[in-house]
């Protein structure tokens, strides 16, 4: 039987890897859109790559900060709040990116 701390660490690693996989999947789906769906966006395409890099940087910084805050081992109540805040933030990012399509 594994100790609780090892099980908790494995769960956190799997949670982080799952979140990263979902982000990559959403980005891949957005890149695979047919040209007919992207036709209405042609005027804005010149700056789209520029803004995509800034969004990727912003999301990476948000995710890194959240992961670093979880690693500081706050009190259990605060850790639960931090996880909830991370879930809300992650869901917000997904909704924003899906609404852009």
């Amino acid at each position: 039987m594994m100790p609780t701390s090892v099980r908790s660490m494995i769960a956190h690693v799997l949670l982080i890897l799952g979140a990263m996989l979902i982000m990559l999947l959403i980005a891949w789906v957005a890149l695979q859109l047919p040209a007919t769906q992207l036709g209405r966006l042609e005027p804005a395409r010149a700056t789209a790559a520029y803004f995509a890099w800034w969004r990727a940087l912003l999301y990476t910084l948000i995710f890194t900060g959240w992961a670093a805050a979880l690693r500081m081992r706050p009190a259990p109540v605060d850790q639960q709040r931090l996880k909830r805040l991370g879930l809300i933030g992650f869901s917000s990012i997904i909704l924003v990116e899906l609404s852009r399509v």
Side-chain angles (χ1 to χ4, degrees), residues 29-59:
V29 167
L31 289 174
Q32 301 300 320
L33 287 174
T36 55
Q37 288 183 342
L38 297 175
R40 63 185 172 90
L41 301 174
E42 283 304 320
R45 290 217 98 186
T47 59
Y50 173 76
F51 288 125
W53 283 108
W54 278 109
R55 278 195 329 273
L57 177 65
L58 175 69
Y59 295 158

Side-chain angles (χ1 to χ4, degrees), residues 7-8 12 22 29-30 34 41 43 47 59-60 81 86 89-90 94-97:
R7 223 178 311 157
S8 175
H12 280 135
I22 289 172
V29 167
L41 301 174
T47 59
Y59 295 158
T60 303
R81 288 180 186 154
F90 180 65
I94 290 175
L95 288 174
V96 166
E97 286 301 314

Side-chain angles (χ1 to χ4, degrees), residues 62-82:
I62 290 171
F63 182 74
T64 304
W66 179 71
L70 271 179
R71 272 188 260 126
M72 290 191 324
R73 300 276 184 210
V77 174
D78 293 335
Q79 192 171 16
Q80 193 68 23
R81 288 180 186 154
L82 192 58

Side-chain angles (χ1 to χ4, degrees), residues 4-30:
T4 307
S5 62
V6 173
R7 223 178 311 157
S8 175
M9 184 183 68
I10 290 173
H12 280 135
V13 168
L14 289 176
L15 177 69
I16 290 171
L17 288 176
M20 289 172 52
L21 182 65
I22 289 172
M23 282 190 246
L24 288 173
L25 181 65
I26 290 171
W28 180 76
V29 167

